[in-house]
Each structure stands twice: as structure tokens, then as C-alpha cells.
Amino acid sequence: MGCQYFDPCENGAETLTIAIPKYSFGRGCLHEAGARAAGHGMSRVGLFTDPGLRGSEYVATVMESIGEAGIDVDVFDEITIEADDASVERGARFVAEGGFDGVVSVGGGSVMDTAKASMLYALDPPDDFLDYFAPPLGAGRPMPRRLLPHLACPTTSGTGSECTSISVLRINDLETKFVLANPVLLPQEALVDPACAETLPAMVVASTGFDLLCHALECYTAKAYTRWERQPDPLKRPLIQGANPWSDLAAREALTIAGEYLERGVNDAADREARDKLMWGASLAGMAFGNSGTHLGHALSYGVTHLMRDVTTEGYEIGPPFIPHGISVIVSAPSIFRYTAAAAPERHFEAAGFLQADLKGAGTEDSGEALAARLIALMRKTGAPNGLQGVGFGPDQVAALAASSARQARAIANAPRETNLVDIENIYAAAMSY
Ligand SMILES: [Fe+2]
């Protein structure tokens, strides 16, 4: 099946490019931070974290290790729970004034994404913040070829940002999130200590777990890279290049992990095996989608966080409105995969199998339904909100949600089906509750 999916197409891509950082995984490996920073020639480090983690043992371990390596360190923790332009402007000032020769980030996706973007905005400041974003939002300004070396240490099991060349930022004036994607944003090294996941509240494990699950599911079902137009200039080849044999490899394993361990990891903080596996799965999913792109799951999540009002989520210390990223993705996911299955039924069938869906007596024509049913079951077992109504939306907001998400053009074009505005409205309408 895989071979057919990647059959050559006229004028389609023939070459794929994969980028991942040097990668370490293991309990206690945060003690290696100093040696690893020294290995990149760092002598003065800007350490990015957030206010909640600043006093944590994880940050203490990393600081101690960096100190023992004879490296100076200054800490920046003025990061909101969602990486935004204001955090990046503060972070860029920190980098510009700090005289650093390296950056270490300790935190979730917001911290790592802020660290990436802060280096960019410090080292080559644009006139307008939006210049680096792709048109029509920004000017598609070229990024410098090199930032500072970056050692990324994730403390949650979802984003995969330690393994991606992507920084997702909320633009506060526009009340919505947009994506910076460029190979220069890839950390040089990732240091992943799964012990960091031990203290996460259940709803954080659920949200980040659904994020990793959807990263894997979206890249496994994305349009084949051979169906994207050929890009002869290797330096211009986009990260969102479609499903490919590499992303398949990592996504399959990440889906298998989510199918086996998501429910256990959410519902039992003492289940070390499950939480360790989710941490590993999050990195794998990052290595996958960072080299393929996501599609409708993530594209449609941006409308949800754009238009959310008066909603909060248990387990997160933040005032309304707030929907954690993974929840903003999963609430529409069953409806999305019912819709996309028609274009790639075998892929959806395989993905449902990796997630341990009940496929007894089912054929590929049932794959959308089987996959949706499995996602809904996982949502129920982990206490996730029931669809868009579960996070405060009603049917009268469908048009506004669709208009907002339609701006994520490249991700939408990475879906296996050609998707127009009416399709997106229909997907949202069918995602109100399950
Ligand atoms: Fe995500």
C-alpha cells in the first residue's frame, strides 16, 4: 500500500529532505545538559523557561549541570502559557543584550517556540514583527542561515518542538496563532528526560497526548509528497512536504504508542511506563510531522483558539479564555478524519489499527468511521471535552470558525482531499458533539 501511495506524479516531488536534531532520551539525562552545551562551544548560555518551571527541579538540574561545565547562564522566564509575539519581543531583547553564544530551553512547546523565535528576532530584527511569516499574513522575509546553537529540553509529552523547525506564535492583535517554519529554527540538540512527565496533571497529559496523536495521524494521512509540486532548489524545499517514507516510519510508532499508552498515562500519574512512552512518542511524532507537515486537524484548531470565549480547562492555571493546544485539535478530529478517509481509505484503516480501533469485520470503506469511533472513545476515557460544544461553541459559529481557519492555506492543502470553505464548515458543523 505504501508504495502505491508514493507513486511518482507528473511534476511531483521526487526528492524528500529530512532534518532532525542530535537526540538523547533517558531518565536523568538532564544532568548531561552542561556537557552537551559545552560540546556546542557554549560559554555563556541564555536559558529559556517559564514562571511555573523556574523553581522546578528540572531547571535546577540543568542550571547545576551548566554551572559544573564552567558555563555562565542567565535565565529568561517571561513567557506566557501560549508563546506569543509579546513574549518573543521580550525574549529577543534578552538575547540581543545577553552576549550569549548558545541557548538552552527547558519547558513545553511555548518555551521552546519562544526560544527559537527570540533568537531569530534578536539576530536579524525585521521592521515589522509579521515580516518573517509567509504571505499573505507576512512578507516571507528570508531568515538568516544560522542562529545560536540551541539545546532543547522538553518537559511535556506533546509538542515535539525539540525535534521540529517550527515555532507557533500567537499574534495578540490578531488573536490567532500562526506558524514560522524554517530549517534554521531546528534545535541543534534535544535532551529528553521522561522523568519530567511524572508530575504533569492528568489534563495536561491528555491535551499534550492528543497533540502527539494528531501530529502522527495527520502526517500519516497527509497528501503524499510526490503529489506536491517539485521544488528544484533544495534550499527552498518546504518542511510541509507531505507524507513520506520517513514520516510514515515515525508516525506509525507514535500512533501505536498513543493507542497503547494515552489512556494509561492520563489516568495514572504513577504509570511510569506509560508516561515514558508518551514522551518518546511525542518526539517521534515531532520528527514525523516536522518533516511532512500536519493538515486539517491543526489548521482547524487555529479557528478554535482564535474565537474561544469564556472557557478554561481544568489543570491549567490560566484565566479565560483558554483551550490548550491539544484539546483545540482533538475536538474537531473525529469529524475531520470521517471526511478525509474517503481520499485515502487504506491509510486511515492502517492508522485506526495502530490506534487499536475495533476493526473486526470492517473494510477500508469503514475506515473513517472506525477511526472516529476510536478517537471519541479515547476522548471519553481521558475526560476530554465533547466536541466543539464542550469548549463553548455553538452551531451559529461555524461560518466564523471556517473563515478563520481557511487562512492556514498550506496545511489545508496538505490534506489528502482538496478542501474548500464549505467542506470546512461542514466538518465544524459535524464536530459540535459526538
Ligand atoms: Fe500540535
Side-chain angles (χ1 to χ4, degrees), residues 99-124:
F100 305 118
D101 53 15
V103 159
V104 175
S105 56
V106 183
S110 311
V111 170
M112 293 183 278
D113 287 2
T114 303
K116 292 172 181 178
S118 294
M119 283 190 276
L120 173 67
Y121 283 86
L123 298 178
D124 193 3

Side-chain angles (χ1 to χ4, degrees), residues 71 77 80 141 144 166 177 232 235 241 263 272 313 363 403 414 423 426 433:
I71 299 171
D77 70 355
T80 47
R141 177 185 164 103
I166 294 166
K177 294 191 226 178
L235 298 184
Q241 62 185 337
E263 193 188 333
R272 270 192 178 196
T313 302
N414 203 33
D423 297 326
N426 291 335
S433 71

Side-chain angles (χ1 to χ4, degrees), residues 89-371:
E89 279 171 348
R90 289 189 294 268
R93 260 195 311 277
F94 170 74
V95 173
E97 292 165 6
F100 305 118
D101 53 15
V103 159
V104 175
S105 56
V106 183
S110 311
V111 170
M112 293 183 278
D113 287 2
T114 303
K116 292 172 181 178
S118 294
M119 283 190 276
L120 173 67
Y121 283 86
L123 298 178
D124 193 3
D127 297 330
D128 185 305
F129 192 88
L130 294 178
D131 282 355
Y132 277 124
F133 290 80
L137 177 72
R141 177 185 164 103
M143 294 188 193
R145 288 282 168 82
R146 188 161 298 163
L147 303 177
L148 299 174
H150 178 191
L151 174 66
C153 311
T155 57
T156 60
S157 46
T159 157
S161 181
E162 69 279 9
C163 293
T164 73
S165 316
I166 294 166
S167 171
V168 182
L169 301 178
R170 180 181 154 87
I171 306 299
N172 287 326
D173 282 350
L174 303 175
E175 296 186 325
T176 188
K177 294 191 226 178
F178 291 95
V179 177
L180 285 173
N182 189 289
V184 81
L185 299 172
L186 185 73
Q188 275 58 46
E189 189 155 356
L191 187 57
V192 185
D193 185 342
C196 294
E198 273 175 7
T199 51
L200 296 174
M203 196 38 78
V204 176
V205 180
S207 172
T208 54
F210 282 122
D211 189 25
L212 99 77
L213 187 161
C214 288
H215 289 157
L217 188 49
E218 287 173 54
C219 60
Y220 198 71
T221 56
K223 177 157 107 182
Y225 77 102
T226 49
R227 289 174 56 210
W228 275 107
E229 71 282 4
R230 192 173 305 160
Q231 172 50 265
D233 180 346
L235 298 184
K236 289 192 179 147
R237 193 162 294 139
L239 302 164
I240 300 181
Q241 62 185 337
N244 59 71
W246 164 263
S247 59
D248 276 6
L249 190 68
R252 256 188 226 114
E253 182 64 14
L255 286 168
T256 305
I257 287 170
E260 177 86 27
Y261 296 105
L262 177 62
E263 193 188 333
R264 280 174 51 185
V266 171
N267 292 322
D268 182 3
D271 190 337
R272 270 192 178 196
E273 184 192 5
R275 291 204 168 190
D276 284 15
K277 291 280 189 185
L278 290 171
M279 202 78 169
W280 173 238
S283 286
L284 288 179
M287 293 181 203
F289 91 87
N291 291 294
S292 67
T294 53
H295 63 82
L296 296 177
H298 274 67
L300 270 58
S301 80
Y302 294 119
V304 172
T305 45
H306 178 197
L307 299 171
M308 63 187 174
R309 297 288 179 266
D310 303 328
V311 56
T312 50
T313 302
E314 174 196 326
Y316 287 83
E317 288 167 18
I318 178 173
F322 177 69
I323 301 170
H325 169 64
I327 297 299
S328 75
V329 179
I330 196 67
V331 285
S332 306
S335 176
I336 288 168
F337 292 101
R338 276 183 181 132
Y339 163 84
T340 51
E346 298 84 1
R347 294 230 138 205
H348 286 69
F349 192 80
E350 288 171 356
F354 301 141
L355 285 171
Q356 303 190 359
D358 181 6
L359 295 173
K360 274 192 292 298
T364 52
E365 68 281 8
D366 308 310
S367 62
E369 203 39 59
L371 189 50

